[in-house]
Amino acid sequence: MSSDSSPLQSSAVINEAVQTLREGGLVAFPTETVYGLGADASNPEAINKVFTSKGRPSSHPLIVHLAAPDRFDQSEIDWVSVLAPWVRDISEDALKLIHAFWPGPLTLVFKKDKRVLNELTGGQDTVAIRAPAHPVAQELLRKFKGGVVAPSANRFGKVSPTRAADVRHEFEGVLDLMVLDGGDCEVGIESTIIDLSSGDHAVLLRPGAITPSEILAKTGIQVSRPGDHRPSSGDLPRVSGSLKAHYAPTTPLRLYAPGRVLDALSEFPDTKSRVAVVVWDSESSLVLEDHPSIDVEEIIVSSDPSIFASRLYRTLRDLDEQAWDLILFPEPPAGEEWDGVRDRLQRACFGSGPSSISHANS
């Protein structure tokens, strides 16, 4: 497994990564959200390597990552020409969203062009696309001059990586993988996904750092929730991270309601020794004398939603490696700014525990 230990990658290293992609190899690279496991989006064999390496079901679609072209003297980037090989129609709303949020942590779902491989769409007639903002990702994509699929660089259903070391730990000795080190990911959770494939309204398929309120404020576009306009979500496109179990540690993970940590401990009598209890930095220390038989350690986390999101996977990975019997997280507060991490934690809880791999595939 080759990599560069410096977060600032040289042009020579980027060129090597580009050549690896062109030859059908895999390259892990940083985005502002999480590290992605990259492969040439026009190469069926390379795409199959991604599914095989991750243990990801082939019906679970991938997101195509594209570069933002250099502006030169243009007042706006010509995204239409960038998207032309991938999507069938580009609406005015799509262009508003693109100009407001790309490059950035927003994925848009379109009706796909006939040239787009079924291998990357899970057999659907839609394709998900985003332009990552991380400078290493942008340089790699610009030099590659094509689309790159890049699901999170980890085993399917497990905690997403936010550092190059996470990727190396995940695949060490198993996969011949080039890893580009771009430092810690700033956003820390996967992109917001908006469906534009119906043509008449935008639908939120996965919450993330960019919220419907922010979209409305910047573009005037009202983003619906699944079910607002359709009788069921069955006809919505399948997208990454939408399975009930995902982002899961091997250690059992549970959420507790505000002020109910003692109740949460009592609900899990099978946990007899070591429990990691995550608490907000705005709260006082917990009083746990009622459970003298349990070794409890507090882990303080930020009550700022952006900071919490940026450190969520790092915290889950660190705790998962410390051999706790149970991890307790506080339920995130109400509000759109917390929807992304609430979504990730709920799926992580469902999939957590020693049998998490079988949960992820259910």
Side-chain angles (χ1 to χ4, degrees):
M1 182 175 295
S2 60
S3 65
D4 189 313
S5 60
S6 170
L8 299 176
Q9 302 291 263
S10 68
S11 291
V13 173
I14 296 291
N15 290 340
E16 181 186 351
V18 168
Q19 189 60 33
T20 299
L21 290 172
R22 287 175 178 163
E23 293 173 354
L26 303 183
V27 175
F29 63 93
T31 76
E32 73 278 21
T33 58
V34 300
Y35 274 73
L37 185 62
D40 181 355
S42 65
N43 185 332
E45 293 181 359
I47 293 170
N48 186 57
K49 285 183 185 178
V50 171
F51 285 111
T52 302
S53 300
K54 284 178 60 70
R56 181 185 178 106
S58 60
S59 61
H60 207 49
L62 303 171
I63 296 172
V64 177
H65 295 63
L66 300 174
D70 292 322
R71 285 176 181 262
F72 299 108
D73 295 327
Q74 302 173 56
S75 60
E76 285 190 336
I77 294 173
D78 180 14
W79 284 108
V80 173
S81 62
V82 175
L83 289 170
W86 303 96
V87 308
R88 193 183 309 168
D89 298 301
I90 304 173
S91 65
E92 287 301 315
D93 280 357
L95 289 174
K96 288 180 183 178
L97 290 167
I98 287 167
H99 289 305
F101 295 106
W102 280 12
L106 178 69
T107 295
L108 300 178
V109 179
F110 302 90
K111 290 293 185 183
K112 76 177 185 73
D113 184 87
K114 62 183 179 181
R115 292 167 289 183
V116 176
L117 296 174
N118 286 329
E119 285 85 350
L120 70 85
T121 67
Q124 301 179 109
D125 66 350
T126 55
V127 62
I129 303 202
R130 91 175 185 97
H134 196 289
V136 172
Q138 280 293 312
E139 185 178 359
L140 174 69
L141 291 166
R142 282 199 184 103
K143 289 188 172 181
F144 181 66
K145 301 183 186 302
V148 172
V149 295
S152 57
N154 57 280
R155 302 306 182 89
F156 182 69
K158 307 305 290 182
V159 180
S160 302
T162 54
R163 295 179 182 175
D166 297 338
V167 182
R168 291 191 283 268
H169 181 265
E170 196 83 12
F171 294 108
E172 191 69 58
V174 180
L175 183 63
D176 182 18
L177 177 66
M178 184 174 187
V179 183
L180 298 180
D181 190 338
D184 291 4
C185 298
E186 182 179 353
V187 175
I189 61 171
E190 294 79 2
S191 60
T192 302
I193 300 181
I194 302 293
D195 176 34
L196 299 172
S197 64
S198 69
D200 56 353
H201 54 269
V203 181
L204 179 68
L205 299 185
R206 182 176 71 184
I210 296 173
T211 65
S213 293
E214 185 180 0
I215 289 173
L216 180 63
K218 289 188 176 181
T219 67
I221 296 172
Q222 184 76 49
V223 177
S224 304
R225 302 276 175 164
D228 286 354
H229 295 276
R230 306 180 190 188
S232 74
S233 60
D235 53 351
L236 289 170
R238 300 188 308 276
V239 293
S240 295
S242 58
L243 298 183
K244 191 172 182 179
H246 222 81
Y247 320 110
T250 302
T251 308
L253 171 68
R254 301 292 184 270
L255 300 182
Y256 65 88
R260 301 291 299 275
V261 67
L262 293 178
D263 294 337
L265 287 169
S266 300
E267 289 173 8
F268 302 100
D270 55 318
T271 302
K272 298 181 175 61
S273 53
R274 305 182 69 245
V275 181
V277 179
V278 177
V279 298
W280 302 117
D281 55 9
S282 56
E283 295 182 350
S284 59
S285 295
L286 302 171
V287 180
L288 299 168
E289 286 82 359
D290 290 343
H291 294 271
S293 63
I294 298 179
D295 174 17
V296 177
E297 181 176 325
E298 290 183 358
I299 293 88
I300 309 298
V301 293
S302 176
S303 52
D304 178 277
S306 296
I307 297 174
F308 181 88
S310 70
R311 300 174 182 171
L312 172 60
Y313 292 149
R314 171 85 274 121
T315 301
L316 284 175
R317 278 184 171 269
D318 288 346
L319 293 176
D320 206 19
E321 293 172 1
Q322 294 170 13
W324 297 100
D325 296 306
L326 175 68
I327 302 169
L328 289 178
F329 256 80
E331 292 180 356
E336 280 187 358
E337 68 274 21
W338 288 100
D339 284 352
V341 293
R342 183 183 301 105
D343 172 83
R344 305 313 189 272
L345 280 170
Q346 288 173 344
R347 297 177 196 276
C349 285
F350 186 82
S352 68
S355 60
S356 57
I357 292 178
S358 61
H359 287 169
N361 290 321
S362 66

